[in-house]
């Protein structure tokens, strides 16, 4: 699979200076953690789950989470597990190219049990999402995953969700973060990415952000995100990929504030796209995606297919970013120094900007580099046109 792989090759060639690389479930953890993109969640109770997964693969989705936790009722768990086993068997029989598939469990014991019940179709499983992750809960989850992997002989990754009240509350945050850091470092080879449970953060204070606001406008939430990145997202080799929080809205809401999308990128026929994005409250999502990246997050939890393409389009590296990153990382620049960018609009300082440049080139690998005259609007328009019903 590859990002924008649902777009015809001639169209991709016109969009990209450097096309996204192909990858699969057997690719390196470094590649997969950067390539997760918009991870689409789906309740494991859906009766035609196999059809849903196949359909979303054809729409450009490269990672999905099939949820046995908060998205389903407590009384539905047994039926949902049985449904998962049936649907995985059906997917295995079809032999299709599938997204990376993860299962969000409730308890550690579900991990080896599900792997055993899945049988041969467990080879389609990339790993498990571990809810309300703390040191105390996390060790049991990761030991269960390690045991299941050993029995199955199939590589399994963990994606812990950071969403517990202990992490949110100021008096316990530092200790909780330190415990999480110890745990994920011990099991580093199994942890693909860390996910942020912002809905649970808001719940602890009876809050819910409106579609006019991003997670970063809710100061309690913004503070937690900053602390998580501070401890767990460092670029010194100790950090992990941390993904952006879920955007909850996908229907028209009554607006209080003006749209946040400038008109200038949407000229001519693209004005209709701007109107559609605003109508469906997507301008708030676009702003939040931009703030995710500015704050050190990559990828995003998504609960609606309409959110996937905006996340991917805004993850593509611009030609200007690519040019700067390449200049900074030239071998002859190893000693440091400062230079004017090739676009003559900024300063590139080699040593301070090196970590940014390395991350940018990794993102360029998996999401591609846009041509000089191609921006978000062109990428999103082409992505929408490439969707098959």
């Amino acid at each position: 699979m590859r990002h924008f792989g649902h777009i015809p090759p001639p169209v991709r060639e016109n969009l990209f200076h450097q096309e996204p690389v192909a990858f699969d479930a057997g690719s390196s953890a470094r590649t997969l953690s950067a390539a997760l993109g918009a991870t689409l969640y789906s309740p494991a109770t859906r009766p035609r789950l196999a059809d849903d997964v196949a359909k979303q693969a054809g729409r450009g989705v490269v990672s999905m989470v099939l949820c046995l936790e908060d998205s389903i009722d407590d009384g539905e768990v047994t039926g949902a597990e049985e449904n998962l086993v049936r649907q995985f068997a059906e997917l295995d029989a079809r032999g299709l190219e599938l997204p990376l598939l993860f299962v969000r469990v409730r308890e550690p014991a579900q991990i080896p049990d599900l792997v055993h019940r899945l049988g041969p179709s467990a080879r389609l499983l990339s790993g498990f999402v571990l809810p309300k992750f703390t040191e105390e809960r996390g060790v049991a989850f990761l030991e269960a995953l390690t045991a299941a992997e050993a029995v199955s002989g199939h590589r399994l990754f963990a994606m812990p969700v950071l969403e517990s009240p202990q992490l949110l509350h100021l008096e316990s945050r530092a200790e909780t973060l330190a415990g999480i850091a110890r745990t994920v470092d011990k099991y580093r080879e199994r942890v693909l990415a860390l996910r942020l449970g912002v809905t649970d953060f808001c719940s602890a204070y009876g809050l819910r952000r409106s579609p006019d606001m991003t997670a970063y406008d809710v100061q309690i939430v913004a503070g937690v995100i900053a602390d998580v990145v501070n401890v767990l997202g460092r670029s010194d080799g100790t950090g992990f990929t941390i993904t952006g929080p879920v955007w909850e809205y996908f229907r028209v809401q009554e607006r209080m504030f003006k749209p946040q999308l400038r008109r200038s990128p949407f000229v001519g026929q693209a004005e209709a796209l701007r109107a559609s994005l605003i109508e469906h409250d997507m301008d708030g999502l676009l702003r939040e995606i931009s703030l995710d990246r500015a704050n050190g997050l990559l990828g995003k939890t998504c609960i609606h297919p309409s959110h996937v393409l905006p996340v991917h389009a805004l993850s593509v590296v611009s030609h200007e970013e690519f040019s700067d990153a390449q200049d900074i990382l030239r071998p002859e620049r190893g000693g440091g120094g400062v230079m004017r960018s090739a676009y003559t609009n900024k300063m590139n300082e080699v040593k301070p900007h090196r970590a940014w440049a390395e991350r940018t080139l990794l993102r360029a690998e998996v999401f591609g580099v846009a041509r000089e005259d191609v921006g978000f609007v062109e990428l999103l328009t082409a992505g929408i046109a490439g969707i098959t019903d």
Side-chain angles (χ1 to χ4, degrees):
M1 74 189 96
R2 72 171 78 221
H3 283 291
F4 300 95
H6 68 296
I7 297 176
V11 178
R12 280 206 313 269
E13 188 176 341
N14 289 329
L15 290 172
F16 289 98
H17 169 76
Q18 174 183 299
E19 290 196 28
V21 298
F23 59 92
D24 58 30
S27 297
S28 70
R30 173 183 176 273
T31 296
L32 294 182
S33 66
L36 287 167
T39 300
L40 185 63
Y41 275 56
S42 176
T45 51
R46 291 181 67 87
R48 301 188 65 181
L49 191 58
D51 291 338
D52 295 339
V53 170
K55 180 178 180 179
Q56 296 309 324
R59 290 170 167 254
V61 173
V62 302
S63 63
M64 290 187 71
V65 173
L66 311 177
C67 185
L68 294 167
E69 208 228 358
D70 284 349
S71 69
I72 67 172
D73 186 88
D74 295 345
E76 296 180 305
V77 176
T78 299
E81 290 177 341
E82 293 170 352
N83 187 53
L84 267 184
V85 173
R86 287 194 302 272
Q87 303 291 339
F88 264 76
E90 185 174 337
L91 285 170
D92 198 16
R94 293 184 187 184
L96 302 173
E97 183 180 274
L98 299 174
L100 305 172
L101 296 177
F102 301 86
V103 174
R104 184 178 183 178
V105 291
R106 294 182 173 218
E107 301 296 337
Q110 287 178 293
I111 294 175
D113 180 60
L114 279 170
V115 169
H116 172 72
R117 290 162 66 183
L118 286 170
S121 63
R123 68 184 184 85
L124 305 181
L125 185 64
S126 290
F128 291 88
V129 174
L130 314 179
K132 300 171 179 59
F133 192 91
T134 60
E135 182 175 29
E136 183 180 5
R137 284 174 55 86
V139 170
F141 273 118
L142 289 165
E143 287 180 349
L145 183 138
T146 301
E149 180 182 275
V151 170
S152 69
H154 170 69
R155 183 178 69 170
L156 295 170
F157 286 114
M159 291 201 292
V161 186
L162 310 186
E163 57 187 346
S164 67
Q166 299 98 303
L167 181 59
L168 182 63
H169 296 156
L170 186 60
E171 67 273 16
S172 56
R173 186 179 305 167
E175 182 181 349
T176 302
L177 266 175
I180 291 170
R182 284 192 295 269
T183 306
V184 294
D185 185 61
K186 180 180 178 182
Y187 293 89
R188 176 172 293 274
E189 72 281 3
R190 307 202 182 280
V191 178
L192 188 62
L194 304 176
R195 312 198 73 88
L196 290 165
V198 164
T199 302
D200 280 48
F201 289 161
C202 290
S203 173
Y205 287 89
L207 304 175
R208 187 174 192 179
R209 70 190 189 276
S210 74
D212 296 302
M213 296 185 181
T214 71
Y216 302 93
D217 295 312
V218 183
Q219 292 302 298
I220 286 176
V221 170
V224 181
I225 294 174
D227 288 345
V228 168
V229 174
N230 190 324
V231 175
L232 297 167
R234 299 176 186 179
S235 60
D236 59 1
T238 66
F240 294 82
T241 294
I242 303 170
T243 64
V246 68
W247 181 259
E248 297 178 349
Y249 296 96
F250 50 88
R251 291 180 180 172
V252 179
Q253 309 285 329
E254 183 180 359
R255 301 189 68 93
M256 182 179 296
F257 301 112
K258 289 182 178 180
Q260 302 173 75
L261 283 181
R262 292 183 298 109
R263 288 185 179 276
S264 53
F266 298 86
V267 295
Q269 294 180 339
E271 175 59 32
L273 174 60
R274 178 180 182 273
S276 176
L277 291 170
I278 292 170
E279 180 185 356
H280 292 89
D281 287 320
M282 301 287 269
D283 51 325
L285 168 64
L286 300 180
R287 181 166 177 262
E288 185 166 284
I289 297 167
S290 298
L291 289 169
D292 286 341
R293 195 160 78 239
N295 284 277
L297 311 184
L298 181 61
K300 199 165 186 66
T301 296
C302 294
I303 47 83
H304 196 271
S306 64
H307 300 167
V308 172
L309 283 172
V311 173
H312 292 170
L314 281 175
S315 298
V316 173
V317 172
S318 71
H319 187 272
E320 181 175 345
E321 289 176 308
F322 185 64
S323 172
D324 289 338
Q326 283 193 312
D327 282 349
I328 290 164
L329 293 177
R330 291 188 190 283
E332 64 268 26
R333 304 285 186 190
V338 63
M339 74 203 89
R340 184 173 63 173
S341 72
Y343 275 70
T344 69
N345 60 357
K346 72 178 75 65
M347 173 192 74
N348 287 328
E349 195 168 352
V350 173
K351 289 183 178 178
H353 290 147
R354 178 172 293 277
W356 169 86
E358 290 169 347
R359 287 188 173 187
T360 298
L361 290 190
L362 176 57
R363 183 160 55 91
E365 249 182 75
V366 294
F367 288 102
V369 179
R371 288 190 179 273
E372 194 166 357
D373 58 346
V374 171
F376 160 77
V377 174
E378 290 80 12
L379 291 162
L380 183 56
T381 301
I384 293 171
I387 289 176
T388 56
D389 292 323

